[in-house]
Amino acid sequence: MNTLFLDAAFSKQTERPPVWMMRQAGRFMPEYWEIKNKYSFLEMCKTPEIAADVTMLPVDLLGIDAAILFCDILVTGEAMGGDLSFTQGVGPRFANPVSTLADVEALEIDVLDKLQYVADAIKVIQQRLDNKIPLIGFAGAPFTVMSYLVEGGSSKDFKKTKLLIHNKPEVAHLLLSKIAKVTADYLNLQIAAGVNAVQIFDSWALALSWNDYQEFSHRYIQEIIANLNRKDIPVISFCKGSSVFAPIMAQANPDVVSVDWNADLLNIKNSLPAGMAVQGNLDPHVLYADKPVIKKHILQLFERMRGEKGFIFNLGHGIMPDIPFDNVKYAIEVVKEFKY
């Protein structure tokens, strides 16, 4: 197996930074749309062979150093009782938003049977990967999943979520603790099915203040990581806001902190405990630029991180759907040509 990614995640020396990109199997690829135009998004997630087809696209077309399972962070919320749908141009919606104590109490936590399709997909993907590169599993962090359940979908201001945590903190904590239990079980299901690493996505943590992040996000991520069967399985913690929250994120004891593009990556790494790796942190908007500009930005980052163990190249967030495929492919070629 190409172990560059796993070696860097465990802060071992590598000859170059490994590369994968968040949302690397997605809407910027014509081949993705060939599949997406035949099936609904949830059909793609819930049909193991189709999920494997999409997972393999960047493996076959981009030559990345790690694959990531094709699924969605909200499948845990759906399994717990959320009525989830995806609409083109609208995004994810829960038709039955959570707002009261009774709503939260009604959510289920013994739901692994409803998520078995993910384990089945992992087994198909690992057969296809044939031990060439590692496979990353993932889950949404409790605060982010909660925000979708409470808002009923995406939100610009998270008003309902913030009213819940401020006016009814006991209800928010019950909801978060239930999501955390499901999430730990779900990630352990993925590990048992054969993933080689896991990442926790807290996509909307940036909506929180420092104190609220500690109370309503960090403590539950810490709980999840503490309950993972993580022997030989690196754990990556990502949030939008990691440039601010990295010192707290490190207290949850992940192997890797994945950093958004608002911070100097070396400064973040130097602020973390010795032996904790970093992942990131190219601004994905750079991939819209001309190829010489893309190369310049990647090499600037690599020169900054030269000599550092524990560095995985990635974006500060996911690839946007209208970024040219050729630019993504070129960026990966620049990474793979680099040598320390």
Side-chain angles (χ1 to χ4, degrees):
M1 181 187 282
N2 168 358
T3 62
L4 269 179
F5 165 79
L6 295 174
D7 290 346
F10 285 129
S11 291
K12 297 176 183 175
Q13 191 70 55
T14 56
E15 66 265 24
R16 65 164 172 86
V19 54
W20 72 279
M21 295 184 181
M22 290 183 268
R23 296 203 197 112
Q24 67 186 15
R27 293 171 291 174
F28 71 101
M29 287 184 170
E31 293 83 0
Y32 172 88
W33 284 106
E34 288 176 17
I35 299 170
K36 176 70 181 73
N37 289 334
K38 298 176 188 172
Y39 306 97
S40 74
F41 183 75
L42 280 173
E43 279 181 305
M44 292 165 69
C45 293
K46 293 184 176 185
T47 310
E49 292 290 340
I50 300 172
D53 288 344
V54 181
T55 300
M56 292 300 294
L57 288 176
V59 179
D60 297 333
L61 300 174
L62 294 172
I64 36 76
D65 294 311
I68 184 165
L69 166 72
F70 178 77
C71 196
D72 192 82
I73 61 171
L74 298 181
V75 296
T76 48
E78 182 190 42
M80 294 173 73
D83 183 2
L84 178 63
S85 63
F86 288 84
T87 305
Q88 188 67 35
V90 177
R93 304 292 301 173
F94 282 108
N96 55 340
V98 173
S99 60
T100 66
L101 177 60
D103 293 338
V104 175
E105 288 176 335
L107 292 173
E108 300 175 50
I109 55 172
D110 295 321
V111 296
L112 283 191
D113 57 323
K114 297 179 185 176
L115 294 164
Q116 184 59 40
Y117 62 86
V118 177
D120 294 341
I122 288 165
K123 289 168 185 171
V124 176
I125 294 161
Q126 285 290 33
Q127 286 176 343
R128 303 239 193 125
L129 286 172
D130 194 26
N131 219 33
K132 292 185 182 73
I133 59 171
L135 175 63
I136 305 167
F138 71 92
F143 173 76
T144 290
V145 174
M146 176 177 83
S147 76
Y148 281 100
L149 285 169
V150 172
E151 302 287 341
S154 301
S155 174
K156 291 182 178 175
D157 58 11
F158 301 93
K159 184 177 178 181
K160 293 177 183 176
T161 308
K162 290 197 168 193
L163 278 172
L164 184 71
I165 67 175
H166 293 144
N167 284 345
K168 301 177 183 175
E170 68 289 346
V171 176
H173 281 304
L174 177 60
L175 177 52
L176 288 162
S177 66
K178 291 182 96 166
I179 298 169
K181 167 70 166 63
V182 170
T183 306
D185 289 347
Y186 175 52
L187 287 172
N188 280 329
L189 173 82
Q190 294 182 35
I191 291 168
V195 298
N196 306 104
V198 294
Q199 176 158 317
I200 299 169
F201 285 86
D202 206 353
S203 305
W204 302 127
L206 191 56
L208 293 169
S209 69
W210 181 267
N211 288 341
D212 287 343
Y213 176 78
Q214 287 188 293
E215 182 175 354
F216 295 102
S217 177
H218 165 67
R219 65 184 271 189
Y220 294 101
I221 292 172
Q222 190 169 34
E223 179 185 317
I224 290 165
I225 292 175
N227 284 300
L228 293 182
N229 302 324
R230 61 190 289 194
K231 185 179 185 302
D232 300 324
I233 305 289
V235 177
I236 308 167
S237 181
F238 167 76
C239 77
K240 281 192 82 174
S242 48
S243 51
V244 176
F245 297 133
I248 312 177
M249 295 168 73
Q251 294 171 19
N253 197 32
D255 298 286
V256 186
V257 173
S258 189
V259 183
D260 59 34
W261 67 88
N262 303 105
D264 178 271
L265 195 58
L266 184 59
N267 288 348
I268 293 285
K269 189 165 195 323
N270 289 337
S271 74
L272 299 175
M276 190 170 288
V278 290
Q279 176 176 277
N281 72 332
L282 187 75
D283 179 353
H285 296 80
V286 169
L287 296 179
Y288 287 118
D290 295 336
K291 288 180 179 177
V293 178
I294 294 171
K295 184 171 186 175
K296 181 185 82 169
H297 280 265
I298 292 172
L299 295 183
Q300 279 178 342
L301 176 59
F302 285 3
E303 287 305 323
R304 183 74 175 134
M305 297 301 292
R306 185 178 285 277
E308 293 293 320
K309 295 179 182 176
F311 167 41
I312 299 164
F313 176 79
N314 208 310
L315 306 178
H317 199 219
I319 300 172
M320 281 76 79
D322 58 345
I323 286 177
F325 175 83
D326 283 351
N327 287 13
V328 180
K329 187 169 179 60
Y330 176 74
I332 289 167
E333 287 168 358
V334 170
V335 175
K336 293 177 79 170
E337 287 169 2
F338 183 82
K339 290 286 184 288
Y340 283 127

